[in-house]
Amino acid sequence: MPELPEVEVCRQGISPHLCGNTVTDVIIRHKQLRWPVSDEINKIKGDNLLSVERRSKYLLLRFKQGTLVIHLGMSGTIRVLDGFPEIKKHDHFDLMFSNNKCLRFNDPRRFGAILWFDQHVDKQGLLAKLGPEPLSEGFSMGYLFDKAKNKKVAVKTFIMNSHIVVGVGNIYANEALFLAGILPLTPVNKITKARFDKLTQIIKEVLAAAIKQGGTTLKDFTQTDGKPGYFAQKLNVYGRAGKKCVVCETILEEIRQSNRSSVFCPNCQG
DNA sequence: AGGGCGACCTGAGGGC
DNA sequence: TGCCCTCAGGTCGCCC
């Protein structure tokens, strides 16, 4: 998936093409995403798109009548296209707009979601229990240190928990821990304030840099205009197990935590 | 209550 | 070539 930077780049990419335009058609080709896509979405035909916002990795398309929430799951992409181009495999959903643009959702694995909320989307179900945005002031050393008190969970699992902080996926969790010099298995109650301070700053820097550079391109992410992002070339550890550390040339090691791969430098991280 | 892990789904890549 | 296995950017919900 799209981690937070990719979703934010996507938001910035689609927003200027669509905001202020009216929905002329809603086309649901495959309802079975993570949750069934509701026919209720058809009610936005004729409604005007007010804004495209983001909370965590959820895109929020605001309409007068409510909010369309889109999550890209592991393999989802959305593109803004001119007119109504040929439908390709896994193109599950389209929103047609009055300026002849088509917002098209493609998702091979169908872990993504398209949900309608009449109101109060921020306080309902999915979005209600999320932690702070990593790039907000609410995500600070003090906050993280407080949340870590009396917990022995591994720091990588901790920073990937959306109830603690949203938007830190597997790539950036690995990268941030490398740059902060912390082993991914370290129990959070053993981490000092100074190291949490460093980790907090690094997470903000890594995510902000990735957004600035247009997101990481892996298998399925391309920006909405089709140009690839180019953060991948700057990855220090993710996808580099068995290769040399870019700092000290020690061979990078790989373990699995919560069924996700963690790659680290046993020399630089300790 | 907190933490671990199976589940959801398709496709790519490696080994045999 | 083909089959079978593992792995992939997420995260919910059930289990202990």
Side-chain angles (χ1 to χ4, degrees):
Chain A
M1 155 185 206
E3 293 200 26
L4 185 144
E6 287 78 3
V7 178
E8 176 59 20
V9 169
C10 182
R11 186 196 71 75
Q12 293 173 10
I14 66 174
S15 181
H17 295 292
L18 303 180
C19 286
N21 290 283
T22 300
V23 174
T24 55
D25 206 1
V26 177
I27 301 166
I28 304 170
R29 281 184 213 90
H30 199 134
K31 289 190 173 195
Q32 279 66 52
L33 301 183
R34 173 156 201 152
W35 296 283
V37 180
S38 168
D39 288 325
E40 201 183 3
I41 294 170
N42 281 295
K43 72 161 66 167
I44 61 176
K45 283 182 203 169
D47 207 341
N48 199 49
L49 179 62
L50 303 173
S51 64
V52 181
E53 295 166 34
R54 180 188 59 74
R55 172 73 172 110
S56 183
K57 297 170 191 168
Y58 298 93
L59 286 169
L60 311 177
L61 279 65
R62 304 284 193 185
F63 293 90
K64 193 177 290 180
Q65 300 178 75
T67 303
L68 188 68
V69 175
I70 300 178
H71 195 289
L72 301 175
M74 290 277 263
S75 57
T77 52
I78 54 175
R79 310 276 308 264
V80 173
L81 305 164
D82 288 315
F84 191 81
E86 181 189 0
I87 289 148
K88 305 230 171 101
K89 199 172 187 185
H90 308 303
D91 282 342
H92 303 314
F93 179 86
D94 287 341
L95 274 189
M96 305 297 300
F97 285 87
S98 51
N99 60 348
N100 200 37
K101 298 283 185 186
C102 171
L103 178 74
R104 183 163 286 176
F105 175 88
N106 180 289
D107 186 7
R109 294 177 76 180
R110 285 187 278 119
F111 290 172
I114 298 177
L115 299 168
W116 174 258
F117 292 89
D118 281 319
Q119 51 189 335
H120 303 310
V121 59
D122 312 77
K123 296 179 178 131
Q124 267 175 287
L126 289 176
L127 303 184
K129 290 174 285 184
L130 295 175
E133 288 288 324
L135 295 175
S136 73
E137 289 186 11
F139 180 62
S140 63
M141 181 279 287
Y143 168 81
L144 211 52
F145 187 79
D146 191 53
K147 282 283 178 186
K149 271 182 190 157
N150 306 319
K151 291 200 179 80
K152 55 189 181 189
V153 64
V155 62
K156 177 161 179 272
T157 308
F158 183 68
I159 61 173
M160 290 183 71
N161 181 343
S162 64
H163 300 314
I164 303 297
V165 57
V166 301
V168 183
N170 200 36
I171 294 179
Y172 298 113
N174 277 296
E175 294 302 309
L177 289 171
F178 172 78
L179 293 170
I182 303 172
L183 285 168
L185 279 173
T186 312
V188 291
N189 60 3
K190 304 277 200 224
I191 296 177
T192 62
K193 282 190 173 181
R195 306 199 90 191
F196 267 129
D197 195 36
K198 172 109 176 172
L199 180 59
T200 309
Q201 293 311 313
I202 293 282
I203 287 172
K204 289 174 188 282
E205 287 172 21
V206 165
L207 294 177
I211 291 169
K212 194 173 178 186
Q213 295 174 42
T216 303
T217 300
L218 291 177
K219 286 193 185 89
D220 7 270
F221 178 74
T222 50
Q223 289 188 47
T224 48
D225 60 3
K227 288 182 198 159
Y230 46 89
F231 194 60
Q233 65 200 26
K234 301 194 82 169
L235 297 177
N236 293 299
V237 288
Y238 181 83
R240 297 195 64 245
K243 296 184 176 153
K244 288 179 178 176
C245 173
V246 295
V247 173
C248 73
E249 303 202 333
T250 300
I251 299 298
L252 300 178
E253 294 183 17
E254 179 167 25
I255 56 172
R256 290 191 79 76
Q257 291 177 267
S258 308
N259 214 24
R260 311 301 296 276
S261 75
S262 300
V263 185
F264 60 95
C265 175
N267 183 45
C268 293
Q269 293 169 256

